[in-house]
Amino acid sequence: MSKSGRTPPLPSILSQAADMQMQMTLRQVGFGAPSANAMPHVPPKPAPAPRDDSALALKRRDWLLNVMEQQRALSPYASGLLTADALSGEDFLHNFYAPGRPVLIKRAMEGWPARAKWTPDYLADAVGAAEIEYQGGRAQAADYELAKDRHKRRAPFRQFIDLVRDGGNDAYLTAYNSAANGPALAPLQADLGHPDTYLAPTPGMLWIGGAGAFTPLHFDLTNNLLAQVTGTKHVILVPPSQTHRLAHNRHVFSDVGDLTDPARLDQYPRARDVLRYEVRLTPGDLLFIPIGWWHQVRSESFSTMLTYTHFHWPNAGHENYPAG
Ligand SMILES: O=C(O)CCC(=O)C(=O)O
């Protein structure tokens, strides 16, 4: 009751109750007004240094990630890899981008001339002898992704196409080369559309390789959208909750490298029953790979693809990754 004897309006009661609660909470943590017989302030003893129990801390973190994954598995909507048809920007944001869930999006690249045109011969004629940078000498090196800079090569584009048209993993034009290739590959831009439902108008980064081109298991420090133009790719996606099974010792790479290689699985048995989703990327498919999701990609045929990172929403995870 108020002094006037009338019941104060409800919001006032609520705010008094909230004040009271806040004061009690503050008292509990030692912020109460000093009482008349308060003791002189004695600085608290410093807390004992924590034991070095990093192994236990890691076990607890992995327990938490497992429990959360088990809970997601209750719903195929929450845990499966969904395929969407002509997904709106709003639906993409709320159901996939913000929650960090992958999605395969169909029918978002209708009318791109590149889908019909980009054969090896057409590409060779369109770009001609302009020199480009690509990744080369990969067949004999196990660490060709980790040691990317050592594998940069240059060649006239037509010669590069001859290196990849019959397949193999030795040469691959990747997103890592795109900063060097803008002017040389400019004639191809007119053949491309742009998935502007999800992306700002920044050009994508081109990948061109033959059947067998392989990108080992890693995660990216940004959210990525893959746009498959021609050819097909086999992608394995693994949620971040499985990191403890993947021997994550070097930068963003897994020492396992290839989840389809029995010899690697013999060496890293914890990776055997890792939770995974497999996707076959076909021409006209967009695949959203959220930041932190492990993936490995193998081209099944001559293949052209773009990757984009300039979404309409923040995508700056790479700025503070503890790279070590
Ligand atoms: O297509 C590929 O070979 C690799 C694509 C990829 O890993 C990526 O964009 O992060």
Side-chain angles (χ1 to χ4, degrees):
M1 296 275 273
S2 67
K3 279 196 191 126
S4 68
R6 282 201 308 270
T7 307
L10 195 57
S12 154
I13 292 178
L14 288 179
S15 74
Q16 283 170 16
D19 282 356
M20 182 76 74
Q21 182 65 41
M22 176 65 82
Q23 283 171 30
M24 287 170 66
T25 307
L26 292 177
R27 287 247 160 75
Q28 280 162 15
V29 293
F31 285 92
S35 62
N37 55 358
M39 301 288 288
H41 177 68
V42 180
K45 283 199 189 123
R51 282 186 305 154
D52 179 16
D53 240 342
S54 41
L56 182 60
L58 282 178
K59 268 193 190 158
R60 286 176 176 155
R61 187 199 60 188
D62 294 343
W63 169 86
L64 181 61
L65 293 172
N66 270 327
V67 167
M68 290 169 71
E69 200 63 70
Q70 280 163 16
Q71 184 156 320
R72 274 192 288 274
L74 297 174
S75 151
Y77 187 81
S79 66
L81 174 57
L82 300 182
T83 299
D85 214 11
L87 187 67
S88 75
E90 281 288 288
D91 284 345
F92 174 68
L93 170 65
H94 295 300
N95 294 306
F96 301 103
Y97 193 82
R101 300 194 48 213
V103 61
L104 182 66
I105 306 170
K106 299 278 186 185
R107 288 202 307 121
M109 296 167 63
E110 302 296 295
W112 290 31
R115 286 184 52 193
K117 287 182 168 177
W118 279 15
T119 61
D121 287 338
Y122 171 87
L123 293 167
D125 289 343
V127 179
E131 199 175 77
I132 52 105
E133 180 189 286
Y134 67 99
Q135 298 301 110
R138 298 163 30 120
Q140 305 308 323
D143 64 346
Y144 56 83
E145 270 295 321
L146 188 65
K148 279 186 174 89
D149 287 322
R150 249 197 279 135
H151 288 271
K152 282 183 180 174
R153 304 282 186 275
R154 297 192 68 81
F157 185 75
R158 189 182 291 285
Q159 195 175 311
F160 164 75
I161 289 291
D162 285 339
L163 288 176
V164 298
R165 67 165 76 228
D166 295 328
N169 189 33
D170 198 55
Y172 198 11
L173 190 151
T174 73
Y176 194 57
N177 307 117
S178 65
N181 289 339
L185 298 179
L188 301 178
Q189 280 301 326
D191 295 337
L192 298 171
H194 192 73
D196 49 13
T197 308
Y198 319 110
L199 299 163
T202 304
M205 295 170 280
L206 188 58
W207 300 71
I208 303 178
F214 179 65
T215 301
L217 192 60
H218 70 285
F219 62 87
D220 292 316
L221 302 179
T222 54
N223 295 284
N224 276 7
L225 192 69
L226 277 53
Q228 186 70 15
V229 181
T230 59
T232 61
K233 286 183 170 179
H234 177 246
V235 185
I236 300 182
L237 288 163
V238 176
S241 65
Q242 306 296 293
T243 300
H244 59 290
R245 296 174 177 276
L246 295 180
H248 176 209
N249 297 313
R250 293 174 302 161
H251 192 44
V252 296
F253 299 100
S254 159
D255 292 347
V256 181
D258 181 0
L259 287 167
T260 67
D261 180 347
R264 305 299 298 165
L265 296 178
D266 282 349
Q267 209 175 338
Y268 297 97
R270 296 187 80 198
R272 254 191 216 123
D273 23 84
V274 76
L275 174 62
R276 71 177 78 174
Y277 303 98
E278 305 204 18
V279 188
R280 185 157 192 252
L281 269 185
T282 62
D285 287 350
L286 296 180
L287 178 64
F288 171 57
I289 304 185
I291 187 167
W293 274 68
W294 295 91
H295 51 287
Q296 65 175 68
V297 183
R298 182 170 271 115
S299 298
E300 297 176 324
S301 61
F302 178 81
S303 168
T304 61
M305 188 189 89
L306 291 124
T307 44
Y308 301 88
T309 57
H310 288 87
F311 289 88
H312 292 309
W313 309 281
N315 195 13
H318 59 289
E319 287 175 3
N320 54 5
Y321 179 63

